[in-house]
């Protein structure tokens, strides 16, 4: 008995050997035996290992590099051509209105599953690929109606999806060699180029502030997506993080809101960015465009300890002992978002005075000296360090009873509290008086 390989053909991309398989071979087959022992070490397939990675052309190979870039651009253009365009979106809206199941007293146009399927059957192929039954039930979760959707919610979803894919493709155009990564310079170019298309930005942005706007947006994205300081971020991470969605929301002129509302809802609004920049200007008392150690001590409530600030200026990049706007942005984001993983990584690097990768009781004592200095200055009640140290270790519960790693801080869920009571006097006082504050509330 012989089984011909042609009976099985090809499985996916796996081509079955053209050699006939004998029944005797099948009977003695043992998957636990290494492949080399089954077929023999001299089998020709071991001399032809397939190439799994093709490195991009080197900068000096200009012809191949240009060819590579052109192929990458053509590939992205084909993807862009497959997206829904304005005509497709207009047709979708007309079809949704055609199959409205019910209109409420407040003129909300609703569609049930049956009519949704009628819409799907009538729209073009591009829409049909996205408008699945699964999408209907996914949107139904957030619907205010038990078994129907507002047609505007379907339309908005499709529009957001188009904008997001467009944004992803647009970002990829700035990745010249098609490796899926962008550095700060690449992202700066992208942000600068799309500003005219962001209605909520271009209508409020002064030309003199544009470079600061771009710098702030780029640094914010890198702060939250490059906490390991690789100096590049994956395009897929920008898209999946939701940051690109926030940025592209500023396209819409139909939802122009007052400045105060935009600032609280979108990190990349002109108002939100301007608030950060004005914070920097307020600290820059001598108006030289840089922050000295003394100027930064006024940050927030002015209660960051001298020891922490000294360490920050040792660890962070400075110019002649002063901090520029780019360096300040990382500091600002870390202070304002202490519960986030990137902020804890940032602050931990400052606290890790011996660069050991962990904090010890001695490290905590070192930074507590800064808190103790402020306690004496205001003649507040003294605090026993040993008690505080035990409280910190109890909150963190590190794997090693004598060492606290950044992973321990993050996993504990108490990382923001711990770093705050070590670096900021007001936060320390709030922690010490937490029971009394709770009773007052």
């Amino acid at each position: 008995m012989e089984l011909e390989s042609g009976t099985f053909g090809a499985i996916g991309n796996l081509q079955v050997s053209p050699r006939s398989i004998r029944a005797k071979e099948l009977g003695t087959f043992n998957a636990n035996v290494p492949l080399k022992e089954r077929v023999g070490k001299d089998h020709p397939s071991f001399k032809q290992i397939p190439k799994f990675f093709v490195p991009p052309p080197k900068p000096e190979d200009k012809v191949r590099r240009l060819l590579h870039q052109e192929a990458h651009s053509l590939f992205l253009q084909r993807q862009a051509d497959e997206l829904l365009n304005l005509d497709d979106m207009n047709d979708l809206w007309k079809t949704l209105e055609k199959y409205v199941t019910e209109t409420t007293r407040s003129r909300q146009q609703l569609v049930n599953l049956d009519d949704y399927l009628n819409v799907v059957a009538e729209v073009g192929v591009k829409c049909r690929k996205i408008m699945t039954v699964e999408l209907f039930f996914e949107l139904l979760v957030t619907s205010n109606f038990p078994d129907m959707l507002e047609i505007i919610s379907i339309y908005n979803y499709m529009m957001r999806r188009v904008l997001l894919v467009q944004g992803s493709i647009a970002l990829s155009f700035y990745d010249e060699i098609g490796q899926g990564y962008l550095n700060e310079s690449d992202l700066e170019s992208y942000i600068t180029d799309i500003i005219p298309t962001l209605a909520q930005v271009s209508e409020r942005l002064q030309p003199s502030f544009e470079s600061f706007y771009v710098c702030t947006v780029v640094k914010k994205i890198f702060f939250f997506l490059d906490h390991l300081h690789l100096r590049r971020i994956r395009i897929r991470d920008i898209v999946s993080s939701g940051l690109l969605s926030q940025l592209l929301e500023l396209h819409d002129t139909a939802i122009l809101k007052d400045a105060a509302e935009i600032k609280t809802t979108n990190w990349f609004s002109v108002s939100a960015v301007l608030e950060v920049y004005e914070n920097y200007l307020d600290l820059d008392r001598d108006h030289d465009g840089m922050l000295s150690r003394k100027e930064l001590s006024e940050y927030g409530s002015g209660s960051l300890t001298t020891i922490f600030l000294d360490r920050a200026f040792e660890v962070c990049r400075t110019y002649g002992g002063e901090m520029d706007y780019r360096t300040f942005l990382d500091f600002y984001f870390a202070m304002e978002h202490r519960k986030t993983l990137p902020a804890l990584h940032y602050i931990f690097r400052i606290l890790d005075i011996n660069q050991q990768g962990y904090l010890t009781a001695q490290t905590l004592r070192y930074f507590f000296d800064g808190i103790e200095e402020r306690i004496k200055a205001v003649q507040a009640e003294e605090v026993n360090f040993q008690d505080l140290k035990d409280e910190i270790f109890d909150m963190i519960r590190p794997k090693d009873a004598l060492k606290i790693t950044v992973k321990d801080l993050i996993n504990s869920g108490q990382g923001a509290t711990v770093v705050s009571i070590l670096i900021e006097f007001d936060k320390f006082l709030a922690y010490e008086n937490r029971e009394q504050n709770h009773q007052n509330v």
Side-chain angles (χ1 to χ4, degrees):
M1 172 186 174
E2 290 187 350
L3 298 177
E4 295 295 331
S5 61
T7 306
F8 299 98
I11 304 174
N13 293 324
L14 177 63
Q15 298 295 323
V16 178
S17 170
R19 184 178 67 83
S20 299
I21 303 173
R22 300 167 185 265
K24 183 178 179 181
E25 289 180 282
L26 289 174
T28 58
F29 177 78
N30 184 353
N32 294 321
V33 176
L35 181 62
K36 279 191 176 183
E37 292 184 20
R38 291 203 303 269
V39 301
K41 295 180 181 179
D42 297 327
H43 194 277
S45 64
F46 288 106
K47 297 178 181 178
Q48 298 177 352
I49 299 174
K51 185 178 287 188
F52 295 99
F53 172 72
V54 179
K58 295 180 180 179
E60 57 269 22
D61 192 348
K62 295 181 180 180
V63 175
R64 286 190 66 236
R65 197 172 181 86
L66 286 172
L67 183 62
H68 187 88
Q69 291 173 0
E70 183 64 21
H72 180 57
S73 295
L74 288 172
F75 169 74
L76 293 174
Q77 189 58 56
R78 281 199 299 272
Q79 286 190 313
D81 292 340
E82 293 175 4
L83 285 175
L84 297 171
N85 55 36
L86 187 59
D87 290 338
D88 295 323
M89 294 304 298
N90 287 336
D91 290 342
L92 171 61
W93 181 251
K94 290 176 183 177
T95 310
L96 285 167
E97 286 190 310
K98 178 180 176 181
Y99 288 100
V100 168
T101 308
E102 179 184 327
T103 302
T104 67
R105 290 181 179 178
S106 55
R107 297 184 179 179
Q108 293 166 294
Q109 296 174 296
L110 310 178
V111 63
N112 62 18
L113 180 59
D114 289 337
D115 285 321
Y116 172 83
L117 293 176
N118 288 332
V119 173
V120 173
E122 193 165 313
V123 293
V125 176
K126 294 179 184 177
C127 280
R128 206 173 302 145
K129 288 180 180 179
I130 305 171
M131 294 180 65
T132 61
V133 173
E134 289 80 7
L135 174 62
F136 180 89
F137 287 105
E138 185 180 320
L139 296 177
L140 195 62
V141 173
T142 56
S143 174
N144 295 323
F145 303 90
D147 55 1
M148 289 192 283
L149 296 176
E150 289 187 69
I151 64 171
I152 189 65
S153 68
I154 300 171
Y155 183 84
N156 284 343
Y157 172 86
M158 298 291 283
M159 180 61 78
R160 284 194 298 270
R161 183 182 175 105
V162 169
L163 286 174
L164 200 58
V165 177
Q166 279 180 340
S168 177
I169 293 172
L171 282 171
S172 298
F173 273 108
Y174 292 81
D175 170 27
E176 290 188 352
I177 55 176
Q179 295 300 292
Y181 295 91
L182 296 180
N183 57 34
E184 284 195 20
S185 178
D186 297 330
L187 195 55
E188 283 176 357
S189 298
Y190 169 73
I191 300 298
T192 301
D193 290 345
I194 68 165
I195 283 176
T197 72
L198 304 177
Q200 296 186 36
V201 174
S202 59
E203 292 183 13
R204 294 186 172 98
L205 189 65
Q206 297 295 322
S208 59
F209 185 62
E210 182 175 310
S211 62
F212 292 99
Y213 176 84
V214 173
C215 174
T216 307
V217 170
V218 171
K219 289 295 287 184
K220 193 158 202 171
I221 293 174
F222 265 81
F223 179 83
F224 285 99
L225 299 183
D226 183 36
H227 60 271
L228 296 180
H229 295 280
L230 300 177
R231 298 183 180 180
R232 64 178 189 175
I233 46 181
R234 296 191 305 178
I235 292 172
R236 67 169 65 178
D237 290 339
I238 300 175
V239 175
S240 63
S241 69
L243 294 176
L244 182 62
S245 296
Q246 273 207 51
L247 183 65
L248 296 180
E249 279 177 10
L250 301 173
H251 273 296
D252 200 345
T253 55
I255 55 172
L256 283 173
K257 309 168 185 174
D258 61 83
E261 187 179 355
I262 293 174
K263 184 175 71 178
T264 58
T265 58
N266 195 303
W267 275 1
F268 304 121
S269 68
V270 174
S271 301
V273 172
L274 194 58
E275 183 179 80
V276 180
Y277 184 62
E278 287 176 345
N279 200 308
Y280 181 79
L281 292 181
D282 289 342
L283 292 170
D284 183 19
R285 297 297 176 84
D286 59 8
H287 308 294
D288 67 346
M290 305 285 280
L291 297 183
S292 65
R293 154 73 177 71
K294 183 179 180 181
E295 287 172 328
L296 190 63
S297 68
E298 298 298 319
Y299 176 82
S301 63
S303 67
L304 291 171
T305 68
T306 56
I307 289 177
F308 174 72
L309 288 168
D310 288 341
R311 272 292 297 165
F313 272 78
E314 287 176 16
V315 174
C316 302
R317 175 177 290 183
T318 57
Y319 303 86
E322 294 195 321
M323 187 179 286
D324 71 347
Y325 184 59
R326 286 177 174 271
T327 304
F328 169 77
L329 285 172
D330 284 337
F331 181 87
Y332 177 90
F333 297 141
M335 294 299 104
E336 296 299 312
H337 304 279
R338 296 181 201 184
K339 292 183 179 181
T340 65
L341 184 148
L344 289 175
H345 272 279
Y346 178 94
I347 299 172
F348 186 87
R349 284 195 299 273
I350 297 175
L351 298 179
D352 185 11
I353 52 177
N354 295 316
Q355 298 182 341
Q356 304 170 115
Y358 57 83
L359 311 178
T360 63
Q362 289 75 23
T363 312
L364 303 185
R365 172 75 249 190
Y366 177 81
F367 284 96
F368 181 72
D369 285 347
I371 296 293
E372 205 165 47
E373 181 182 289
R374 299 293 290 267
I375 291 174
K376 292 177 180 177
V378 300
Q379 298 181 341
E381 184 179 348
E382 291 187 11
V383 175
N384 186 293
F385 170 72
Q386 286 301 123
D387 292 341
L388 180 65
K389 183 262 295 182
D390 291 341
E391 284 184 42
I392 290 175
F393 272 85
D394 285 342
M395 282 193 286
I396 301 301
R397 297 187 179 279
K399 286 188 176 181
D400 186 322
L402 300 177
K403 301 173 182 177
I404 297 175
T405 65
V406 68
K407 189 174 182 180
D408 293 327
L409 281 176
I410 294 165
N411 292 341
S412 70
Q414 300 293 325
T417 301
V418 169
V419 298
S420 292
I421 63 180
L422 289 173
I423 69 175
E424 191 167 358
F425 183 59
D426 285 355
K427 299 289 186 185
F428 171 81
L429 283 182
Y431 174 78
E432 283 294 297
N433 299 320
R434 62 194 181 281
E435 292 182 5
Q436 182 180 343
N437 294 336
H438 181 70
Q439 291 173 358
N440 292 337
V441 173

